[in-house]
Amino acid sequence: MSVNLRFLFIYGPCIIAALAGLLFGYDVGIISGAQLFIEQSFHTDNQVLGTIVSMVPLGAFIASIGCGYLSDILGRKKLLIITAVLYIIGSLLCAYANIVSELIIGRFILGLAVGLGSFSAPLYIAEISHHRYRGAAVTLNQLAITLGILLSYAICFIFTPTHQWRYMLGIGMIPAVLLLIGVLLLPQSPRWLVKKGMAHYARNVLQKIYTDIDIDSELENIKKMLDTPKMTLSQMLRSRFMSVIFLGIMVSVLTQAVGINAIIYYAPKIFKLAGFSSNAHAISVTVLVGVVNFVFTIITVCVIDKLGRRKMLLNGVAGICLSLLILTVAFYMGIGSSLWLTWICLFAVLFFIACQALSTGPACWLIPSEIFPIKIRGTGMGISVAFNWLTNVIVAYLFPIILGHYGGMTSFAIFLVIAIIAWISFYKYVPETKDISLETIETNLLSGKSFRHLGR
């Protein structure tokens, strides 16, 4: 095989990770700046604005329910192709929307793409990457999400002087087209091919990826893994595994309910209330949110396997509680009337983002992926992801309504109470899984150990 072709098969999944994650972050973050000008164009109230913003997480929630089934039927590659096409259609529909309903439909289509992509891209990457590069490829997906958010904030800042919110939303079509082209150049997942009885095609793919292992042995390992019996949802509901399902749901809900999506989606609106009166000033400081998010995600990647999930989660949520307390008090004191309170608000928001990137950001995906036994891992992760997006929908829809009716003090006080509950719950139930194999965690669970001690 030529050097260029081998480069494609080794680094191609990393490219897919970057583009899929970039689109995820971009379409989640771009609405934060665009909404200021959408409100002016369509004269929307807080309820309509909440609907527009929440359509992406709602679409992702609906897609997450059926993405596992679709992935098994169509294959990871075809699902990624569908994801790219949905991104293109959604971006075009949003950019050319003439009425609010068209914008809502476009955002919903983008949400379907986000939901399908957030499931299929990491799965495809994990199944096709060379084992030497698999960790880097999956990690790149997480970094690319934060880079996409940062890029969306930067695009909002660039187009703020001209109020061109259509360009802000439409530019997402460019990486979507690149994603479509990239996926078409790559093969099907060898794991999916084996599952569908096409082992000879899987062999060809594995031979292009690996030159340093026994292909026959790798095929046998794949077949053995696929032969592991899985439990259906109805079987799980009647089994002792139901408690660990609730643990996964708890982690997914509480990591989202502390308010991260309110800041990601509505940062410029929050900053305008805090005293950055013009759209340009509010969006310019919002770029700092994206920078801090990206930088501290890189730090997290470097230290999470050294410091441990539980320690970072508890310390990070404690920091989130402190930042929410500062925001609550600042709004109580009449933020916006004092310059120093305005800058304290900015610091508190940036501190919140840093703590979130170090704790609840990775925890909402990592902890559920580690605690489920292999028999229920796929279904358990699917349920956790669905509750993750459902919480996202609720926060995205309700936050502007509560902010408009009751103000910043009440809005952030609610998040503060939830964050305190989250810290107590995580302290009591979340195990430390650093340096612990998945098999050990499963053995501890089956032996009846408490959740707190699953990592021992």
Side-chain angles (χ1 to χ4, degrees):
M1 189 192 311
S2 68
V3 175
N4 289 336
L5 190 57
R6 180 160 301 283
F7 179 91
L8 173 66
F9 273 83
I10 291 178
Y11 294 102
C14 295
I15 297 171
I16 298 304
L19 290 172
L22 188 75
L23 280 162
F24 182 149
Y26 187 88
D27 286 303
V28 164
I30 196 63
I31 197 64
S32 65
Q35 66 182 267
L36 299 179
F37 308 110
I38 291 172
E39 286 181 287
Q40 296 173 3
S41 295
F42 295 117
H43 306 289
T44 60
D45 58 22
N46 288 325
Q47 187 172 0
V48 173
L49 178 61
T51 301
I52 293 172
V53 174
S54 64
M55 281 299 103
V56 164
L58 177 61
F61 166 67
I62 292 174
S64 68
I65 296 174
C67 58
Y69 174 78
L70 291 175
S71 181
D72 286 340
I73 297 299
L74 300 177
R76 287 64 160 137
K77 177 179 177 176
K78 289 182 180 178
L79 203 59
L80 278 171
I81 292 173
I82 294 172
T83 298
V85 171
L86 289 175
Y87 271 125
I88 294 171
I89 295 173
S91 297
L92 286 173
L93 190 55
C94 287
Y96 288 99
N98 292 314
I99 55 177
V100 171
S101 60
E102 291 177 353
L103 183 58
I104 289 174
I105 293 171
R107 291 278 297 168
F108 179 75
I109 292 173
L110 288 173
L112 293 175
V114 167
L116 292 177
S118 63
F119 175 88
S120 57
L123 181 61
Y124 178 82
I125 294 161
E127 291 186 344
I128 200 169
S129 297
H130 191 290
H131 62 81
R132 291 180 181 173
Y133 312 104
R134 185 174 299 133
V138 175
T139 300
L140 182 61
N141 184 55
Q142 298 300 317
L143 285 176
I145 292 172
T146 60
L147 180 60
I149 294 173
L150 174 58
L151 178 62
S152 72
Y153 291 163
I155 293 295
C156 288
F157 177 73
I158 291 171
F159 287 105
T160 289
T162 59
H163 297 193
Q164 292 290 350
W165 61 268
R166 297 182 186 276
Y167 289 164
M168 297 177 188
L169 299 178
I171 283 176
M173 186 182 68
I174 297 174
V177 171
L178 294 176
L179 174 63
L180 179 60
I181 295 172
V183 175
L184 290 173
L185 293 174
L186 291 177
Q188 275 284 10
S189 158
R191 274 74 179 173
W192 183 80
L193 290 171
V194 171
K195 187 173 184 177
K196 294 300 179 180
M198 295 181 282
H200 54 295
Y201 290 115
R203 175 187 294 275
N204 292 335
V205 174
L206 290 171
Q207 287 175 339
K208 294 173 182 176
I209 299 173
Y210 296 99
T211 59
D212 53 350
I213 65 171
D214 183 354
I215 301 299
D216 290 329
S217 177
E218 182 68 11
L219 278 173
E220 286 302 315
N221 288 335
I222 293 173
K223 291 177 181 178
K224 182 178 179 181
M225 179 190 70
L226 292 174
D227 287 339
T228 302
K230 305 295 189 298
M231 296 181 69
T232 64
L233 179 59
S234 60
Q235 290 174 325
M236 278 192 294
L237 292 174
R238 301 190 302 268
S239 74
R240 57 184 169 179
F241 294 131
M242 199 58 214
S243 59
V244 78
I245 294 288
F246 282 119
L247 177 60
I249 292 172
M250 182 198 75
V251 171
S252 296
V253 169
L254 290 179
T255 53
Q256 300 304 300
V258 295
I260 177 57
N261 297 299
I263 293 178
I264 294 296
Y265 293 140
Y266 299 104
K269 182 178 284 292
I270 294 170
F271 289 137
K272 287 189 72 174
L273 288 175
F276 296 94
S277 55
S278 71
N279 289 340
H281 288 159
I283 291 177
S284 64
V285 293
T286 298
V287 175
L288 292 175
V289 172
V291 172
V292 171
N293 192 19
F294 181 66
V295 170
F296 276 85
T297 298
I298 295 176
I299 295 173
T300 299
V301 170
C302 297
V303 303
I304 193 168
D305 284 324
K306 298 176 183 178
L307 299 181
R309 293 86 159 109
R310 176 182 166 85
K311 181 184 293 185
M312 291 184 66
L313 180 61
L314 292 176
N315 289 336
V317 174
I320 287 173
C321 290
L322 177 60
S323 64
L324 290 171
L325 177 61
I326 293 172
L327 286 169
T328 301
V329 173
F331 274 97
Y332 172 75
M333 294 176 66
I335 196 169
S337 60
S338 172
L339 182 60
W340 69 274
L341 281 176
T342 297
W343 288 104
I344 285 178
C345 174
L346 174 60
F347 166 78
V349 170
L350 296 180
F351 184 60
F352 179 106
I353 292 296
C355 292
Q356 188 273 339
L358 291 169
S359 59
T360 56
C364 69
W365 305 107
L366 182 57
I367 292 176
S369 72
E370 293 180 328
I371 61 174
F372 292 120
I374 191 170
K375 286 185 177 182
I376 64 169
R377 188 164 297 149
T379 305
M381 274 298 296
I383 294 172
S384 296
V385 169
F387 273 89
N388 182 310
W389 282 116
L390 182 60
T391 308
N392 195 325
V393 173
I394 295 171
V395 172
Y397 178 74
L398 291 181
F399 181 74
I401 299 174
I402 296 174
L403 188 66
H405 280 78
Y406 303 104
M409 186 191 74
T410 300
S411 301
F412 289 108
I414 291 172
F415 287 135
L416 174 59
V417 172
I418 295 173
I420 293 171
I421 293 172
W423 191 92
I424 295 172
S425 300
F426 295 153
Y427 178 82
K428 186 174 182 180
Y429 295 111
V430 171
E432 178 55 75
T433 55
K434 179 176 73 76
D435 297 330
I436 305 298
S437 70
L438 298 180
E439 289 73 23
T440 299
I441 295 172
E442 180 170 347
T443 299
N444 288 339
L445 178 67
L446 295 176
S447 66
K449 286 191 176 182
S450 65
F451 292 142
R452 173 84 175 273
H453 301 135
L454 289 182
R456 292 188 175 180

